Amino acid sequence: MENTFDILVIGSGPGGYVAAIKGAQGGKKVALVEKSELGGICLNWGCIPTKALLKSAELLDDLKHAAQFGIQTGAVSADFAKIMNRSRDVARQNSNGVQFLMKKHKVEVLKGQAKILAKGLVEITTPEGGKQTVKAGAVIVATGASPRQFPQYPIDGKTFVTYRQTLALEAQPKKLLIIGAGAIGVEFAYFFNALGTEVHLVEMLPQLLPIEDEEIAKGLLASFKKQGIHCYVGTQVAETKAGKSGVAARLVDAQKQETKITVDQVLVAVGMVPNSKDLGLEAAGVKTDERSFIQVNGHQETSVQGVYAIGDVAGRQLLAHKASAEAEAAVAHILGLAVQGVDYGQIPGCTYCQPQVASIGFTEKACREKKLDFKIGRFPFSASGKARAIGHTEGLVKLIFGAKYGELLGAHILGCDATELLAELGLAMKLEATYEEVMGTVHAHPTLSESVMEAAADSHGLSPHI
C-alpha cells in the first residue's frame, strides 16, 4: 500500500508531535510514525512520570515537617506501589492527550518502525510484520535517544536498571547506588531518599549536575548531604560485583581513597545515545557525527535536502523543550516561512529535585573562560519574606550581567520553584533586557520572584534587602 503526505514525522515525542501539529496547522497533509506509545519517552517514560514521582516525594516531605506549620498529622508513610501506579496513570493521560491532538489536527498516525529508503520515500514495518511504503515531500526524524549501555553494568531490569526500568519498579530498594549525577541521577536520588531508601550518588566529575554553575552545584551538594543522601563527587565506580546479598561496589575518588558499599540495586544514569540506527540513514545519504547524532544545519535540515532531524537524535541539549523548539524551526523552513533557527544559548535547563535547579545562559566559569567583563548579583532565599513564610529558605538567585551594557548573560537559581522562576529570565534574555530593566520591573510582594529583582539590583550594589 502506498500513501503520499506533505510531511512525514518519525517519532511522537515533544519534538515529533509538535512538528506534526505545526505542519497540520500550516495546511499540510501530515503523517506521524510511532512504533510504541504516542508521546515518546518524555510523556511515557521520562519527563512527565518522573515529575509525578517527585510530587509524591515532595508531599511526603512536607507532611513530615507539617508540625512546624502547626499541623498535626501523626505518623506518615509512603505506599510505593500506589506512588508508582499514579505515575503510570499520569503518563497514560498525557499519551491519550497526544492521541486527541492528532485527531483534532487530522494527523494520520501510522504504527510501526520507519526506515528511510531514499529522499521522500519511507518504508514502515507494522507491529504485525507487514510493510507499507510512504511518500513524503519532507521527512522529519524525531526518534530521540536511549540510555548509554556499559558492559560492566549489565542492564537486567532487576539488579542493574536504567531510568526506564526504575519507573516500573514493583518494590522499593532499601539501598540504591546511582551512577551519574546529571538531572536523571539527581532527581531519582531525591525521590528515593525522601521515601526512605539509603541512596549513594556517584559522579565522576567534580560536582553534581556537571553542566550547572559551580556555586549552584555546591549548594545542591550541601543540601543533599543535609537530607542524608550519600554523595561522592570526583569519584569513579571502579568495580561492581553482583551476588546473593546484593551488589558490592568499590568507589575510588580523585585521591585514590576507596569506599566499599553494598546495595540492592544500581541505577545507571550516565549518558544517552541517539536512536539513529536502523533508520536507513547511511543508505539514504544522511550524515551523522562520530557519536551517531544526525548532523543538521540551522534549519534542522540534514545533508539530504528535504530530510530533517530534531530533538535528541540531532544532538546538543537533550531536552524536551529544545526538541519542540527545533520542531517549530524545521516546520517553518518546510513551509517557507522566513524565521531563524533555534538559539541554543537560550535553552533553559531544569532539574526537579528539591531544592530545584534552573539555569539559562552562561555560567560564571564560562564567562571567565570567555574573558567576559561581567557583574554578578545574588539574592539568598533566606532573605525573602515569602520564602520564610512557606518554609523554603534554601538556595539563591544568581544573575550574571555584562559590565558594559548590562545585558543578562546567565541566570542560575537553586531553591523552591526555581524551574518556574526561570521563565522570567528566559524572556529577559530573549528581549535583551538589562539589569536596570529587570530591577525596575515591579514584582508583586510577597513572592519568590522578588528575589530575581533583588539579584538584579545586587549586581550593582543596589538591593535594599541585603
Side-chain angles (χ1 to χ4, degrees):
M1 185 174 68
E2 184 173 276
N3 295 315
T4 301
F5 298 92
D6 298 315
I7 302 173
L8 179 73
V9 183
I10 304 173
S12 69
Y17 81 75
V18 168
I21 291 171
K22 286 294 180 177
Q25 289 175 338
K28 299 298 183 180
K29 183 182 179 182
V30 182
L32 178 67
V33 185
E34 175 55 60
K35 66 179 182 179
S36 188
E37 306 105 324
L38 282 174
I41 291 297
C42 178
L43 270 64
N44 292 283
W45 298 101
C47 320
I48 301 303
T50 55
K51 302 312 164 283
L53 295 181
L54 291 167
K55 179 58 181 178
S56 294
E58 293 166 16
L59 182 56
L60 178 62
D61 192 51
D62 285 343
L63 289 172
K64 288 180 178 179
H65 295 89
Q68 71 183 56
F69 292 89
I71 308 297
Q72 299 301 323
T73 61
V76 294
S77 61
D79 186 322
F80 187 75
K82 287 186 177 180
I83 289 174
M84 301 302 287
N85 287 337
R86 177 181 180 272
S87 172
R88 300 311 313 143
D89 286 342
V90 170
R92 279 188 288 271
Q93 290 169 19
N94 279 271
S95 182
N96 290 339
V98 174
Q99 185 175 14
F100 166 78
L101 289 172
M102 295 302 100
K103 291 181 179 179
K104 176 183 176 181
H105 293 283
K106 297 180 173 59
V107 174
E108 185 167 344
V109 177
L110 306 174
K111 296 294 290 185
Q113 172 72 47
K115 182 178 181 180
I116 301 173
L117 300 178
K119 177 183 176 181
L121 196 64
V122 178
E123 180 185 76
I124 301 172
T125 302
T126 67
E128 297 76 27
K131 295 182 184 295
Q132 67 177 108
T133 301
V134 176
K135 290 183 178 180
V139 175
I140 301 177
V141 181
T143 49
S146 298
R148 184 179 295 278
Q149 302 282 330
F150 298 87
Q152 65 269 39
Y153 312 130
I155 302 300
D156 57 11
K158 296 179 180 179
T159 304
F160 292 89
V161 296
T162 67
Y163 70 84
R164 180 153 184 165
Q165 287 89 24
T166 302
L167 285 166
L169 288 180
E170 295 181 357
Q172 178 184 347
K174 294 181 179 179
K175 296 182 180 181
L176 176 66
L177 168 62
I178 301 177
I179 304 176
I184 293 173
V186 161
E187 288 181 358
F188 276 116
Y190 168 74
F191 169 72
F192 280 105
N193 179 73
L195 267 61
T197 295
E198 180 184 302
V199 176
H200 297 264
L201 178 61
V202 180
E203 172 55 52
M204 182 175 66
L205 295 174
Q207 65 179 55
L208 302 182
L209 299 177
I211 66 173
E212 296 291 347
D213 185 83
E214 290 180 354
E215 184 176 357
I216 298 297
K218 287 179 181 178
L220 180 64
L221 176 63
S223 177
F224 267 24
K225 288 183 176 180
K226 185 178 178 181
Q227 293 177 43
I229 300 173
H230 302 273
C231 299
Y232 312 83
V233 294
T235 301
Q236 296 188 47
V237 180
E239 182 183 17
T240 58
K241 186 175 182 180
K244 293 183 179 180
S245 59
V247 180
R250 182 168 59 89
L251 315 180
V252 181
D253 65 17
Q255 288 73 43
K256 304 301 180 183
Q257 293 182 327
E258 293 190 2
T259 302
K260 294 182 179 180
I261 58 173
T262 300
V263 297
D264 304 318
Q265 204 164 59
V266 179
L267 167 56
V268 182
V270 184
M272 304 288 286
V273 294
N275 295 328
S276 56
K277 292 183 179 180
D278 303 320
L279 290 173
L281 299 179
E282 185 176 356
V286 177
K287 294 182 179 179
T288 58
D289 66 15
E290 65 279 1
R291 297 181 298 164
S292 298
F293 289 103
I294 299 175
Q295 295 181 328
V296 296
N297 63 18
H299 297 289
Q300 306 305 131
E301 195 168 24
T302 70
S303 54
V304 176
Q305 186 179 17
V307 178
Y308 296 76
I310 61 175
D312 291 359
V313 76
R316 294 184 182 268
Q317 300 103 317
L318 306 189
L319 299 168
H321 44 277
K322 172 261 194 185
S324 298
E326 289 180 335
E328 299 210 24
V331 173
H333 190 252
I334 293 169
L335 297 177
L337 302 177
V339 296
Q340 61 185 16
V342 176
D343 183 348
Y344 294 99
Q346 294 186 5
I347 300 294
C350 296
T351 305
Y352 298 82
C353 53
Q354 288 296 342
Q356 293 183 352
V357 175
S359 65
I360 190 169
F362 294 143
T363 63
E364 180 181 349
K365 181 180 179 181
C367 288
R368 297 190 188 285
E369 290 175 345
K370 293 176 181 295
K371 298 182 180 179
L372 301 178
D373 192 9
F374 60 92
K375 292 181 180 293
I376 295 178
R378 299 176 177 85
F379 192 80
F381 285 114
S382 59
S384 163
K386 177 63 179 294
R388 291 196 199 102
I390 65 175
H392 287 286
T393 56
E394 275 190 305
L396 76 158
V397 175
K398 176 180 180 178
L399 304 182
I400 307 172
F401 295 95
K404 184 175 181 180
Y405 300 109
E407 76 278 18
L408 181 62
L409 298 174
H412 309 276
I413 309 176
L414 171 70
C416 177
D417 286 342
T419 58
E420 302 293 340
L421 295 173
L422 188 67
E424 172 186 353
L425 292 160
L427 181 61
M429 186 173 286
K430 180 71 173 178
L431 299 179
E432 300 181 351
T434 65
Y435 80 92
E436 292 173 303
E437 290 165 325
V438 177
M439 176 182 69
T441 300
V442 178
H443 289 64
H445 176 78
T447 61
L448 293 177
S449 68
E450 288 175 290
S451 300
V452 172
M453 174 183 67
E454 296 284 355
D458 179 63
S459 69
H460 286 70
L462 299 174
S463 173
H465 291 105
I466 52 174

